[in-house]
Amino acid sequence: MSSSLTSLVPSDVKTLSEFGNFREHSNPNIAVDLQSKNLHTSSEFFFLQPVYSLSMVTLVTIFGLLGNITTGLVYLSPAKTFWHIVQRGSTEEFDSLPYVVKLLNGYMWVYYGLVKPNSILVATINGFGAVLELIYVIIFLILAPPRMRVITAILFGILDVVFPVAVVLISQLSFNREMQINISGFLSLLFSVATYGSPLSIMKTVVTTKSVEYMPFLLSFILFINGLTWTVYAVLTRDWFIGIPNGSGFVLGTAQLVLYAMYWKPKQPKRTSDNVEDDWQHEHLIADSGPSLKNNESRADA
């Protein structure tokens, strides 16, 4: 037995020492060297892991802040038009439905940002957007013609008061945190995708008329950057509730820029309207469901 064990040690000592077994038969210098290498590797991993984590947090924060800026610009895009509405004292033929739905969408994203850990940047910008959309809806309630005022009041009461309150109460009282995240995330995704009727409609108009008259370049570019920024944010955070609608928005924004490059003409057509932006607001949420004037405004959110 002794001679058998002695003959085994020289041939297998390296393998045994590497796996930390039978260290009493290994060369002490080899064991010390292996321990030193393992300690060095462990130290590198220990120090590099916080650096990697810090880098990821920094990237997420950067893209989240950029997304806040671009989404804020999207929310602010109709402000000039509403200023003209206030000056004229009437919303005329403008449709309130897009703003009612965007207000609901803002509510859902705020709720999602609050219930999901580390998503405060989603809540902040959509809270800002919800305030703006609420102001737009209030302007409709005050300055819209009687029939549109009644429609706006009904839509606002159902979609912007009853529905979000019911969602929050039911999810908070009946479901755990994970299910609350899934419910609010799915509803946010759903309402974000619903708002894509407007850019799809304006793209159809551009192709039909072979003119970018009703598709301002700046807004198309902002929508493109906004979709790209939040898509990168979604990839970094592995948040597909944010990634799916904003990825779609990025694709639509890219398509709009391509159409702009194809149909842009140096000579601007004559307009009788005081403000081109006025035409963006006439479009209903679903393509081909409203007046002929097209709207290029969209929520690309987070």
Side-chain angles (χ1 to χ4, degrees):
M1 175 67 72
S2 176
S3 61
S4 175
L5 181 59
T6 303
S7 63
L8 173 65
V9 171
S11 61
D12 292 345
V13 64
K14 185 177 180 180
T15 301
L16 294 175
S17 62
E18 286 180 347
F19 285 92
N21 297 323
F22 301 102
R23 289 185 177 177
E24 66 275 12
H25 301 293
S26 61
N27 188 320
N29 294 329
I30 295 177
V32 171
D33 184 57
L34 289 173
Q35 291 176 0
S36 176
K37 289 181 179 179
N38 291 335
L39 180 61
H40 181 67
T41 302
S42 300
S43 300
E44 285 184 344
F45 179 76
F46 177 78
F47 286 109
L48 288 178
Q49 188 176 18
V51 173
Y52 173 76
S53 300
L54 181 61
S55 300
M56 288 298 295
V57 171
T58 302
L59 284 175
V60 169
T61 303
I62 290 174
F63 278 96
L65 292 175
L66 289 175
N68 273 237
I69 295 172
T70 55
T71 303
L73 293 175
V74 174
Y75 276 124
L76 286 168
S77 62
K80 186 176 180 180
T81 297
F82 274 94
W83 175 247
H84 286 289
I85 288 175
V86 172
Q87 289 180 322
R88 291 193 295 263
S90 174
T91 60
E92 299 176 345
E93 298 179 1
F94 293 118
D95 189 2
S96 64
L97 180 59
Y99 305 100
V100 171
V101 175
K102 289 171 187 175
L103 176 57
L104 173 59
N105 192 38
Y107 285 161
M108 291 297 98
W109 280 119
V110 170
Y111 183 45
Y112 178 75
L114 292 177
V115 296
K116 182 176 181 181
N118 304 317
S119 298
I120 190 64
L121 290 175
V122 177
T124 53
I125 186 53
N126 285 286
F128 170 75
V131 171
L132 289 178
E133 297 295 340
L134 180 60
I135 293 173
Y136 301 153
V137 172
I138 290 174
I139 291 175
F140 270 97
L141 292 173
I142 297 174
L143 300 178
R147 182 174 179 275
M148 177 57 68
R149 193 180 306 171
V150 172
I151 294 174
T152 302
I154 294 173
L155 291 174
F156 175 75
I158 296 174
L159 296 179
D160 295 334
V161 179
V162 175
F163 183 79
V165 170
V167 169
V168 172
L169 288 179
I170 293 174
S171 62
Q172 287 291 325
L173 297 176
S174 304
F175 301 104
N176 59 26
R177 180 55 60 91
E178 187 66 26
M179 186 58 67
Q180 293 168 11
I181 294 173
N182 291 334
I183 291 173
S184 59
F186 177 77
L187 291 175
S188 299
L189 184 158
L190 182 66
F191 293 129
S192 293
V193 172
T195 62
Y196 291 147
S198 293
L200 286 173
S201 180
I202 186 62
M203 290 167 66
K204 179 182 177 181
T205 302
V206 170
V207 174
T208 302
T209 63
K210 300 186 184 303
S211 172
V212 294
E213 183 179 4
Y214 295 104
M215 190 175 72
F217 173 79
L218 183 58
L219 184 57
S220 297
F221 182 71
I222 291 175
L223 293 175
F224 165 79
I225 295 297
N226 186 64
L228 174 62
T229 302
W230 283 112
T231 300
V232 174
Y233 176 92
V235 172
L236 292 174
T237 59
R238 299 181 181 180
D239 190 329
W240 306 118
F241 289 127
I242 295 176
I244 292 175
N246 285 285
S248 302
F250 169 66
V251 172
L252 289 176
T254 303
Q256 285 187 341
L257 294 180
V258 171
L259 288 177
Y260 200 93
M262 292 173 60
Y263 294 110
W264 178 81
K265 298 176 183 178
K267 184 179 179 180
Q268 296 296 327
K270 294 182 180 180
R271 296 295 310 276
T272 58
S273 172
D274 293 332
N275 189 355
V276 175
E277 292 180 357
D278 292 351
D279 297 326
W280 306 351
Q281 316 303 328
H282 286 71
E283 179 59 43
H284 288 258
L285 208 62
I286 306 301
D288 298 329
S289 64
S292 58
L293 293 176
K294 301 300 179 180
N295 166 33
N296 187 33
E297 184 191 334
S298 172
R299 250 286 295 138
D301 326 290

